[in-house]
Structures are given as structure tokens and as C-alpha cells.
Amino acid sequence: MSSLTWITSLSCSSPETSFQFLRFLFLSPCPQRALLSAIDVILLFLFLLLALKKLFSSSHSPSSELDKPLITQKRAFPRITSWFKLTLAATVLLAVLYTLASVLVFVRTKTNVVYSWKLVDGVFWLVQAITYVVLTVLIIHEKRVQAIVHPLPLRIFWVVYSIVTSLFVASGVIRFVLVEEAGDFSFKMDDIISFISLPLSLFLSCVAIRGSTGIITTSTTTSTQEITQPLLIDGEIIKSSNVSAFASASFISKAFWLWINPLLSKGYKSPLKIDEVPTLSPQHRAEVMSLLFESKWPKPEEESKHPVTITLLRCFWKHAALTAILAVVRLCVMFVGPVLIQSFVDFTSGKRSSVYEGYYLVLILLVAKFVEVLSSHHFNFTCQKLGMLIRCTLIPTLYKKGLRISCSSRQDHGIGTIVNYMSVDAQQLSDMMTQINAVWMMPIQVTISLVLLSKYLGASVVTALFGVLGFLAFAVYTNKKNFLFQFNVMKNRDTRMKAVNEMLSYMRVIKFQAWEEHFKKRIMSARQKEFEWISKFVYVFSGNVIVMWSTPVLISTLTFGTALLLGVNLDAATVFTATSIFKMLQEPVRTFPQSMSSLAQAVISLGRLNRFMMSRELGDDSVEREGGCGGGIAVEIKDGNFSWVDDSEKDYDLNNINLEIKKGELTAIVGTVGSGKSSILTSILGEMHKVSGKVRVCGSTAYVAQTSWIQNGTIEENILFGLPMDRQKYNKVVKVCSLEKDLEMMDDGDQTEIGERGINLSGGQKQRIQLARAVYQDTDIYLLDDVFSAVDAQTGSEIFKECVRGVLKGKTIVLVTHQVDFLHNVDLIVVMRDGMIVQSGKYNDLLDSGLDFGDLVAAHETSMELVEEGTIMPSETPPTPSKSPRTPKAASFKRETSGKKNSLEPPKQSSKLIKEEERETGKVSLNIYKLYCTEAYGWCGVIVVLFFSFALQGSQMAGDYWLAYETSEERAQSFNPSTFISVYAIIAVIALVFVTLRAFSVSILGLKTAQIFFTQIINCILRAPMSFFDTTPSGRILSRASVDQTSVDFMIPIFISAVIAMYISVLGILVVTCQNSWPTVFFLIPLVWLNIWYRNYYLSSSRELTRLDQITKAPIIHHFSETISGVMTIRAFRKQMQFSEENVKRVNSNLRMDFHNFSSNEWLGFRLELLGSLLLCVSTMFMILLPSTIIKPENVGLTLSYGLSLNTVLFLSIYMSCTLENKMVSVERIKQFTVIPSEAEWNIKDRLPPPNWPHHGNVNINDLQVRYRPNTPLVLKGITLSINGGEKIGVVGRTGSGKSTLIQVFFRLVEPSGGRIVIDDIDITALGLHDLRSRFGIIPQEPVLFEGTVRSNIDPLGQYTDEEIWKSLERCQLKDAVASKPEKLDSLVVDNGENWSVGQRQLLCLGRVMLKRSRLLFMDEATASVDSQTDAMIQKIIREDFAACTIISIAHRIPTVMDCDRVLVVDAGRAKEFDKPSNLLTWSSLFAALVQEYAIRSSEL
């Protein structure tokens, strides 16, 4: 003991060696007291200086007051929390304690105390007392001045003070344990005071780290971070009552997750509703995080190639550092248990130094386990919070990028891929956070394990080292493979999602053409490629699992064999310490490959995000924008060369454009199809890549696109487009855009909800709502792209007069149009050809010059000749009044339209179109588990997996029992090394066989089930009626096809396997523990009950949070894809900020579910692991108390080697079963979409139509009634008519009258509610849908092209030769356009056909029909988007090519229907007139009114 005299020495002279000096400095009494006293004096001196400065400044400043706070400004209405009271109580206690100590030092009468030391010690405690009295006064002062944060010097002092107090306690422990006789001075009193002050000082150090005083005023919260955050963020007031309790939770509440109790309690009583889940803390909200991300983005001069990676590191390095610290703490305490096994075995075998040693050992085990549990769950919580913050940062950032990206870049990535960046890549980066620490922790953990093993097994640890290195080599190899597989999985998933997205976007066209099978093959082909890579990934992952499970057993076999060869004595203590360390090696070895795989996925995701975030954006400099129009020029383009391709410097889409539009002028842009008319508008908006030249725009712009972009919302929301409601202005806009009558016909008027992409509106209604949106914005410049193409003549005239030449008079308007009638009334006409302006000027000037404009006008006049002939006819009839016949006819037409509702309509019910997403509540049904587990191989598959799992656990336990048996004291004499190691090796090989069989059986079962589910959901979606797509946003379907399908592909098989393994492990541990510590059995029943209760209590909330998480995720995806589709419109109106705010709102709504979900996970985990640790300590206590005759030392080792993992395995089994239940929500959601009511059969074998049907084309319609859905009014109200084979029927009527619905009924996209349609003596409802649809030809209202080539678009099924395709292209006027491209028929068609003009798309659709050559042809506004010249040519081709066919053609251009055999006038769902055009023109018919209107509108306009 003489070597420890320094610990009781009163000397202040330091020793010579550096080690002794450090030991002396920090642990010897004299320097310890000097150090702490110096810190006290510095603090007191600092506060004195601050007080003097305050006093001095106040005496020199008349405006200042003495009672102004020393620390912070005064705030009103303070509220004192328990945090403040605890801090004050701790300082008061320490002040009292130190005052008492200083008094006791002087009153002690021990004779051998040196007086000088007595004086030093007394003064030391006095200084401590004075310091804490001053601090007590300061804290009371903080309350008076309402300080929110403690001053920095005080916080530093508390942290340093707790460290020095820890040194005092360390010295006390050494003196208590190792020093038996006292020196000159007894330190017992000092040590007792140090022990009492340690917890108080540690609490104060926590106060220092947190910083908050615990004083809350009306305008503050308790967190220092939150003080800087406004309660109003981006205009949205966050109600403090509904902010997450985490924001204002105390340190203790955060430490033990007490803050989430109210939410869990609410969820336990009744299923959580979406508005009951609190919002995120202000500092965690998406708007704050995205601003942080932008502020940390690398500057251009940094030339960073990985900007996303660098920015994330800059934003979150502090969070990452905290997770690393928690990981290290957890690592340190994990090894306490295995090290104690030796001591426990020695104690039970009688080798003990003290009768109380057993209790000390149990206490140390309990404390170590508590710290391990607390640190591991805070580590998990912090990692998951970091993952959530990364998603919270990335999604709004990617959204903003999507709003800025150029058209060319958008086409390069594609909408499906961009959606994946948000939904998949951001999620994978988030998931990586929980696993990335395992990558650097693994080498440290392995090193510590091997060092400990070397202590027990000596040189044989080298075998273990080689075993671990061998495994790591395998892990690195498989990780490389997984990296490749994962990359290919993601690439093929993108392709598959793109195909699914395209299918959903154009489902109407697919059903018209009966192409479902073709698209199914396309999707399944993409899925098959994806599935091949998934299979490779899963099988390699299974290989990893086999190696992970078998590594500890194989390494221990080889190491024990080596130890026996080297003559190491293997007793129970050594063997079970070694096996528990091998089991601990299992964790880093098991998680390492998974972490590397996660890291690989994250690296791929980061690469993809970097590429997207570095994509070309629209240049702000491409258009010079000026606020007010000082001069007379509103739009000016000088020497402009533009291209749709960003990097194109030679091939221009617009050449040498010079255009000057004066303020207040109406300019029309005309030209043939594909001449570049729409491109001129996009160049004015700055959407095209400007290669050279200058574009100047003076004032704000509004844009109406040729292809309508309508949001999913009400009509009112679409028109207002973010502006406040001005009722007078709104009503005027609705009137001038001819929407009044449409709104009258709708049950809910302007509150009618529009489906996705305006799916429940006619083309004309969509176009007019777009126009109304633009007019309501009241901008300076209007860019209108062919707004009259989708509306009838009368409506077009009204809009031109009331809107373009009425409300918008005085505004600058650029109008792309094919309507030559309107051109008399425009200020400037610009004629386009091949991307160039070939003519510009006034109507008459251009007409005189001939050229292109002359050809357009000539084509129009030719078509008008028929009309003009017809307009004479009414005047020939005597009864016609002398005044203009237009008035009564027009009036009657309008009267009919807005007439009373039909008596056949059902009573009005809820006509909300988009229904709330179906959401299950309560437990995931056992039927869902049964469906998943038995889908592939029935119950046989389940039994096989369970058998292999139990066999594996049995073989592992057999190995451990063999170890216990062979290392017992009774076997020591007859121990045979070769028998021992041979049997152990055989058991290890058997375990390896079972783990292999189990891993591969789960993989095969999981893969087959995933493929079955995917096939089911695709089949059901393709067979769903059109009404399903009208009422279901594509985001809901896409989220099931992406996120939910990914869960079924990867996550669920892994979790099912893990849950089975964990529960069987728990069973094994409990069997071993209860067998050797039988009183533990009495604690099992309450333990099991508590675990079940906790699981159910937690799961009732967690399950709902998971469902709400899925439900709130779909709107983010839907909003994003909707935004990307309409990005040109959004940018034209400068609404990017408004849309970004909506995205942020949706992200916050989704992530609050995620945050509270993983917080509840850690709440459960902490409590369950603590229960497991308590059970372990209780069973250990019984093993100490039971006599050695009952409990054998080798069984103590066996029990502890199992029991040490009880807390983790118990928690993991419950947690993974809960996670599995949450993941099974994906199966539940997929299953919801596999039971969609199907439309009629595609093919009915016994009702096949004749091969040449329809052979004549006779059509008989009898009392046809149609409604879209059961709870909606009739759309067609009893139409009866007959059409003879070969007749050409024109269908006219105002927009929304039911013309397009009539065509949909022929194709049975909408089934008749009453009446019937008979074609060539066959009732169409008797046929299979494909048999019906494949026999008809249709050119739909909206021209749709699919991503691919010209060939794949004109002949998707590959039925025709190249010669036939070229002939078809020639007939539809597209041969030259296609032949001029280098790839010819293989020319690229991008997503939505955006690299072709709308007119060219329409012609391609015509080409499809020409190839098909059907006897019955339907044309729905087939030539709406082409000029009069092309229209006349197409009509001529159709007349020649389809001479013998029955044609039913919907048209708004009167010339198109004038040469029809008969005309059907549809109005408000009724067939008002049906006769030859010449007959209808002989009396005051609705058709005559339309013709008259069309004929004279040019002159009137």
C-alpha cells in the first residue's frame, strides 16, 4: 500500500516522471483543491467585472436603468417551470453542503492534523460555499429579469466543475477500496461530500449544455434553438398547442421519451386521426431546413462535383458527431457484461474476496446495462431524426429544382425518374443514417473483442483474427456485387415506374384502342428485368445472412481447437466469456454487410441527386423582364435563334426571329402544323434555350397552353390560382369565358371537383377554365396558344368578342390560332414556316402579297363555300322574319342549354369526385399475414421455414450445452480434447446447414410472393373501369407500385425471417435462464404480461402513424408530378413560390407522422430493454444467493452468456414484430387495389363477333341513357337514332353538351344506364370489351403519344410493315417531317410527345387509324389543332380512304361537318336535331343558328 501514499499525501510538491505528475495533478488532494479554487475565483472575478461594467455604464447613460438585466432583455409574463426550480434547488443544496463542510473542518479535534492543512481545507470549502451562494443569488436575479438562457461563463463553469468533482470522487473511490490505514488526515468527510455533490454537479452540467433557465415568457419556448424561430413561418401560424411536445420537453422528458406519452395515450384509447398528430418543432420544419440547405450550397467558384453530399455534410455534421459520441458510449459499456462472467463464475465456485462482492457485481451489471440501453436508444433516435431532417431538407430542395429545370433537362430525366428522386432516393439517404456508424464502429468493436479474447485464450486469438478477416473479405466482395445489383434494381425500377406512370396518364387512350395487353407486356417486361436483379440481390443477401449467423460458431470452433493445440486450459469461465464475446462479435459482423449495402445504395442515390441538382436550369438572362411599360414596345425579339436542346449550337428550332409587339396590340401567329407557332410563345416565356439574340418582355405575363393543364381541385381554385376571391371580378371572368352555362349544369357549380389532369371535363371546358385562370390574374401580356381549337364556333365567337376584344382590350395579346375568321380583327399577323417568320403585317397587306398567308386564307375560303351556300337556304323559306334570323336561333340554342334539369335525374347526393383514400384502422388483420405467407406455396412454405428456424436454434443450444458439459469440474479429469472439438465442429456444421436452408427458403418464398402481388395489382388496375381512374389520383396508385412494392420485394421477407428468429431466440434464452435460475420463473409471467401490454399500447398508435405516413406521402408525389407537368404554366404566372409553399406544407404533414412514429419506437425499445436487463439482474442475483450445491459454476457461465443478450433480443423481437406489422400495411394497401371492381370481360369466347364485323356499319341507338357514376345525374338523356352503313355523321353542339360522352359509350368506357346500341345486328353490351374496341377506329380529342419511337407510336403492336407505315405517314401529311429526321421511323418520341408539336401529334394519331382501317371510325375534334389548309387535306384523305366506312365525327369547325351526310345536334345530353345539313338549314334550327354564327362572325368580329 506504500505506493499509494500520494492519494492521501498533504504535500503540494510534484513528482519527477510525467505519468506520476499527471496522477498527482488530477487525483492528489492538494492540487485538486488548488484547481477547483482557481476556477471558483476566476468565475467570481468575471461576475464582479460584469457587475462593475453594468454599474459604470448605467451611471454614464441617463436612459439606462439599474434594474435592466445583466444577462438578457426583459420580457413580459414569465412562467417558472420545474427545470428552473430544480436548478435553484441544486445550487442551494451545494451552497448549504459546502458551508457545512467548512464549519466541520474547523471544529474537528483530531490531533494528528497539520494546522496549515486544516486551514487550507477550511478555506477551500469556504470558497466553494461563497461561490454557490453567489450563484444562488444570480439564479434568483435571472428570474427577476426573465432571462431565458444562462450566461456563457456560468455554463462553462458548471461543465468544468462536474469534471473536477468526478476527479474528487475517483480519488475517494481509490482511497475507499485500496487504502486501509489513514494518513495524517482523514478524508472520509471530504469524500462523503464529494459523493453527495457528484449527482448535483452532473445535473448542473446538463443544465449548462441545455442552456435554458426554465423561465418561459409569452413569446418564448424553453429551447434556445426555438427562441430564434418565429411562430409564423411562411404565413402559416403554428399553434403552440399543436406543436410536438418535443419542442418544449424538459431534459428528463427527452431522456426517457416522456414527452410522447400524451400522444400514445390518445392513440391507445381510439385510432389516431390526422389532425391529432402534432406538427414538427419549428426548427425541424421543411421551410427552415430547405433554407439551411440553400445557405450551405457550394458557391460557383468552389466548382464542386458533389454539391448535394457537401451541403448535407455542412448542414448536419453536428448531428452526425452526436450520433458518433453516443455510439462510442454504447460500445464502451457493451463489454462490461462479458468481462464480469469470469467474476461471477469465480464467485459461485467459492473464489471470493468479500461476502458482498456478488452484490457489487450485480450492481455494476445493472448500471452498465442501464447506460447501454439508454445510450443505444438515444443513438437510434438521433440517427432517425437525422434521417428525417435529411428528407425534410431534400424533398423541398428537389421540388424547387423541378420548378427551375430546363425543358431539355426535364425530358432527359423524365417525370417518373424525378418522382423517384423524391420518393426513393431521399428515403434511402434517410435510411442510411441508422447504419452508417456501423461501418467505422466495426473495426473498433472487433479490435476490442480480439484484445479481450487474447486475455483469456492467448495466442489462439490469431485464428479468430483470420476468421474475422476472412469474413470481411467475403463481405467486401459481396458488397461490390450488391452495389452493382442495387444500381441495376434502381435503374430498372425507374424504367418500370416510367411505364406505369405513362399507362396511368393515358389510360383513356389505352382503353379506346384495347392496348391493355400490350402495356401490360411492356410493364411486365420492365418488371422482369427489375425482378432478375432483385433476385440476384436477395440471394447474395441470403448468402450474407448465412455467413453472419455461422461466423461466430465457426470462428469459436476453430479458436477453441487452436487453444487446445496450444495447451490453453479451457474451464467454464474462459469458455463462456469467450462465447459471449463471440456473440458480441456477431453484431458488428452481421450489420457490417448491411451497412455497406446501405452505404452503396446511398452513394448511388447521392450520385443521382447530384446529377439532377446539377442539371441545366432556365437562364434568368434569357429574357429581359421589365416591370412597367414605359415605352410603347411590350414584347421584342431581336435576331433570336432558339433550340429545344440545351447544348445545341447549330440546329435551331427557331431561326433568325425578329418580332416587335406594341403595347395593347393583338398579335396573331399563324402557320401550318409544326411551323414553330407554339415555340414562339415559349421563347417569349424564356422556356427555350436562347442560342443568340435578345428577348425583352415588358410587364407581367399570363399563358394559356395548347394542351390544357388543370389541377386536381375545384373549378374555383383553378380559376383563382392562389389569388384572393374578388366576387365581382370572378363572376365577370366566368361570364366572358362562357363558363356560366357549364357551371349551371354541374351539381356543385364552381365547387365541382376536377379529377386528375381535368379527366372529368370536356376539352373545351378545360380550355376555358385555363383561359379564365389567365384572365383573373389580370396581367399585362397574354400568350394564348390555340385557345379556340377545343370550343365550338358560337362559344369561340363569344370568347373572342367578350374576352379577347372585351375584358382584355388594351392588354397585349399574342394569339396562336388556326381560325382565319378572327384575323381581320387583329393588329398584327405573323406567319411562320419551318421555324422562321416568313411574313408579318396586317390582314389585307399579307393577302395582297400572296405566299404562305394567301394559301392559308384560300384553304379557309374553300371550306367556307359550303357554309355560305347553306346560309342562303333559311332566307328562301317564306316564314323567316325580316330581321336577323340569328337572334331567335341563338337564343333558342342558349335556352335549351340552360333548360330545366331532366326529371330522370336521381336525387342529389354527394358528388365529390376524388374520394378520401381508403384507410384501414386497428390491427393489421391476421388474414393479411395469412395472405402474404401462403400466397406462394400455401401452408407448406410456412411449415418448412418454421421447421428450419427451430432446428437452427436447437443446434446452437446443443453446442452451448456441450461446452457447459465438457468444461465442468466433474469432467476435468476425463476431458478428451479431440472428442470435445469433433462433437462441437459437427454441431457447428449442422447449424450451418440449417441456417442455409432457412435463408434460401425465406428468399424463394418472398420473391415469388412479391411477383404474384405485382402481377395481381397490374392486372386489377388494367381491368379497372374508367370511373376508377377518374376518382383515384395517380399518386395513390404510384405509391403502391413504388414504395409499397419495394417493401414487399425487400423489407417484408427480411423482417419475417428476423421476427421468427428473434422469438425463437427469446424462447431459447428463457429456457436456459429458468433452467439454471429457477426462481426467475416467477418473474416470467409479469414480464411476459408487461411485454404484451407495452406492445399493444405502442402498436395501437404506431400502426395508425404508419398508415397516416403512407396516406400523407401520396399527395407529395401527386403534387410533384402535377407540378412537373404544368411547370411552364406555373413559371409563366410566376407562381413558383406559392407551389413551393404547398409542397412544404405537404412535406411537414408527412414527416410529423414519421417523427412521432420513430420516437414511439424508441419509447417502446427503452422500456422493453430495461425490463430485459432487470430480469437478467434478478436471475443473476438468484444465482448468487442459491447455494453452490444447486447452481453449478459452468451453468452460471452458460446462463450469463445467453442472458446478456436477453434485453436486446427481447426488444428486437417485439420491435421487429411491430415494424413487420407496420410494413404489412404495404401488403394491406396493395391488396386494396387487387379487389377493384372490374369492368366487363375483355373477351367472351362464346360471344365472339364475326371476323369481318362490323361489315356494313349500321348503327341503331335506342333510348340511350348514361351517367358516369351511380350518384351523379344523367349525362345523356334518352338519345334515339339510326345511322346507315357508310354514312358520314357530323356531331355538333356546345362544349359540355355530351358529344364526347356519346363516343365513350360506343367504346363502353362508360356503360349505358338505360337503352342500347346495336351495330350490324349485334348489341355492343353482349360483346367482350376487346372484341368491341379493337374493331373500331378512333382519333381522340387529346392527341397522345407514348415515349418511344415514331414506329412504336403509330404501330404499338408491331402488326404492320415499314412500307405500310410510310404510306400511312404520307397520307396523313407527316412523311416529310419524319423522313427529314436522321433516325426516320426510329426517331425519338419523348415523354408525352413533347418534342413534336400538338398538330403533329394529332396527325400521328390519324396515321394509327389509317393503318387500322376500321369500318366504323370515330373522330373527336380530330383536326382541332391543325390549320384550315391541313384540315381540308385531312378531310379529303378521310373521304377517299374511308369511303365505305361509317364515320361519326365531332367537330367545332362547321366546314368539317357541312359535307357530312347527316348532322346530329346534341344539347344538354339530348339529340335535338338529326338530319341532312341542307334540310336543317331550311328552318330556324339550332344547326342553322350555328352555321349562321360561323359564317358571319368574321365580318362582325
Side-chain angles (χ1 to χ4, degrees), residues 627-639:
C629 291
I633 307 298
V635 177
E636 181 183 24
I637 304 177
K638 273 189 183 173
D639 305 323

Side-chain angles (χ1 to χ4, degrees), residues 870-878 880 885 889 1481-1484 1488 1492:
T871 55
I872 301 161
M873 294 175 186
S875 61
E876 290 169 358
T877 57
T880 306
K889 289 168 188 171
L1481 292 169
T1482 58
W1483 56 284
S1484 302
Q1492 194 84 11

Side-chain angles (χ1 to χ4, degrees), residues 1420-1437:
D1420 190 355
E1421 305 287 354
T1423 55
S1425 301
V1426 298
D1427 55 277
S1428 297
Q1429 198 175 351
T1430 312
D1431 182 18
M1433 210 172 293
I1434 289 169
Q1435 295 302 333
K1436 180 171 174 280
I1437 292 161

Side-chain angles (χ1 to χ4, degrees), residues 818 820-821 855-870 1427-1429 1431-1433 1435 1439 1453-1459 1491 1494-1495:
H818 294 303
V820 176
D821 319 343
D855 295 343
L856 287 171
V857 174
H860 173 69
E861 285 175 350
T862 306
S863 68
M864 286 299 292
E865 284 171 9
L866 280 167
V867 178
E868 283 163 7
E869 284 169 20
D1427 55 277
S1428 297
Q1429 198 175 351
D1431 182 18
M1433 210 172 293
Q1435 295 302 333
R1439 278 196 300 274
R1453 285 183 181 166
I1454 295 300
T1456 308
V1457 296
M1458 284 305 291
D1459 64 342
V1491 172
Y1494 193 85

Side-chain angles (χ1 to χ4, degrees), residues 43-44 47-48 91 95 127-141 154:
L43 180 77
L44 293 171
F47 279 145
L48 181 67
T91 48
V127 170
Q128 294 299 305
I130 291 166
T131 304
Y132 272 90
V133 167
V134 170
L135 292 185
T136 303
V137 172
L138 179 70
I139 288 167
I140 294 165
H141 177 69
L154 176 61

Side-chain angles (χ1 to χ4, degrees), residues 923-947:
K923 287 184 180 180
V924 172
S925 156
L926 285 173
N927 191 44
I928 295 291
Y929 286 95
K930 176 187 158 287
L931 275 172
Y932 178 83
C933 295
T934 60
E935 193 74 54
Y937 298 103
W939 286 106
C940 296
V942 180
I943 291 163
V944 166
V945 170
L946 286 174
F947 171 74

